[in-house]
Amino acid sequence: MGFDSSMPLYYQIVSDIKQQIKDGVLLPGDKLPAENTLSQTYQVSRVTVRKALDDLCALGLTERRPNRGHFVARIKDDRKNGKRSLHDTLLSSGRVPTSRILSMTTEPASPSQSRHFGIPQGEPVILIHRVRYADGVPFALEHIYLPGDLFEGINPWELENSSMIRIMEEEFHIEIAYSTQTLNPKVPTAQQAELLELKSRKPLLAISSDIVNKDGRVVKHTETLFVADVVEYTFTWYG
């Protein structure tokens, strides 16, 4: 099976299986092929297959059943409730989401960023650093990375009172396919604790997330420190 060499292989496997689910080739309750079969089909290692399967589970597209394998799950579409982003979720719960922009810079893509975004090394990458608030209480520190070719002219100040998802879709016409999340505990630095107004440097939720468009390209990467006792962390699969 041919793949775009500029994109991580596991993303492309996720995108292909997602498309099969969308097209009805794979139906809710269908069992996915075994790892070794998928490895042969996509001509990748089983490590890559496992990463793709883990992401499919995290997205809610599939579910892992002990000793039985992976099965297509029923997908809950939160768009019916208007909850396409954490910003919207806070609004719908009666809270006021705002942001304070700390900085916006443009930097040349490093080798890892080049591979991650599928752009040539040295091409511009936009970095936005912000603090997010709910009812005036800080709950997250975010570093947002955007490929410059897709987001030229972005105004970071719009993020003070608007959803990044809305800006991506309505202003830059990004068709979002799905999001992936990796969560780990992390002790904040003294500066991070000060920005989040923490009384102690207790471990926080460190979230690394990607948003992938309909073409299977990573269009946004975010590194977040999240204070989970201020706002409950939720995420939504979009498609």
Side-chain angles (χ1 to χ4, degrees):
M1 182 172 185
F3 273 148
D4 179 356
S5 60
S6 67
M7 294 296 300
L9 292 175
Y10 73 91
Y11 278 127
Q12 298 180 62
I13 296 172
V14 169
S15 181
D16 184 61
I17 292 177
K18 177 182 178 297
Q19 190 64 46
Q20 291 185 53
I21 294 172
K22 182 177 180 180
D23 292 343
V25 177
L26 290 171
L27 299 174
D30 282 355
K31 184 177 180 181
L32 296 185
E35 284 185 10
N36 60 340
T37 302
L38 290 172
S39 177
Q40 294 172 10
T41 299
Y42 291 104
Q43 299 180 2
V44 297
S45 69
R46 291 185 66 172
V47 172
T48 299
V49 168
R50 289 190 195 108
K51 172 62 177 170
L53 292 173
D54 286 345
D55 279 3
L56 287 164
C57 283
L59 293 168
L61 289 167
T62 63
E63 57 186 20
R64 183 186 295 106
R65 299 178 187 175
N67 302 318
R68 296 186 61 193
H70 291 257
F71 294 78
V72 178
R74 294 187 181 276
I75 299 172
K76 178 183 177 182
D77 191 350
D78 285 343
R79 287 177 296 177
K80 294 177 182 178
N81 300 320
K83 297 179 181 179
R84 302 244 10 223
S85 67
L86 181 56
H87 181 96
D88 294 333
T89 300
L90 288 170
L91 282 175
S92 67
S93 66
R95 308 187 73 173
V96 179
T98 56
S99 293
R100 176 162 66 95
I101 305 302
L102 300 176
S103 65
M104 186 181 91
T105 57
T106 300
E107 58 188 35
S110 65
S112 61
Q113 289 172 334
S114 172
R115 291 190 297 272
H116 200 75
F117 288 119
I119 60 176
Q121 188 173 336
E123 286 294 299
V125 172
I126 299 167
L127 169 58
I128 299 172
H129 186 199
R130 67 170 172 168
V131 185
R132 301 189 67 174
Y133 299 83
D135 296 331
V137 179
F139 69 88
L141 272 178
E142 280 189 349
H143 283 86
I144 301 171
Y145 297 85
L146 305 167
D149 63 316
L150 295 181
F151 292 94
E152 183 177 0
I154 189 172
N155 178 5
W157 309 111
E158 287 190 58
L159 288 172
E160 291 188 331
N161 297 288
S162 185
S163 161
M164 183 66 195
I165 297 299
R166 185 199 67 76
I167 292 171
M168 293 175 71
E169 293 184 322
E170 296 182 10
E171 297 187 22
F172 293 92
H173 310 293
I174 303 294
E175 294 187 84
I176 295 171
Y178 62 89
S179 171
T180 63
Q181 320 279 327
T182 302
L183 287 69
N184 289 291
K186 182 179 180 181
V187 176
T189 65
Q191 182 182 27
Q192 290 168 337
E194 181 180 357
L195 287 168
L196 291 169
E197 301 177 13
L198 300 176
K199 295 181 180 179
S200 65
R201 289 171 61 186
K202 60 183 178 181
L204 302 179
L205 196 60
I207 307 167
S208 177
S209 63
D210 288 322
I211 288 180
V212 180
N213 70 5
K214 297 289 188 179
D215 296 324
R217 178 181 176 185
V218 177
V219 295
K220 173 177 174 278
H221 175 73
T222 307
E223 298 288 340
T224 305
L225 271 181
F226 195 94
V227 185
D229 55 2
V230 175
V231 171
E232 180 182 3
Y233 176 68
T234 61
F235 64 92
T236 302
W237 169 72
Y238 326 170

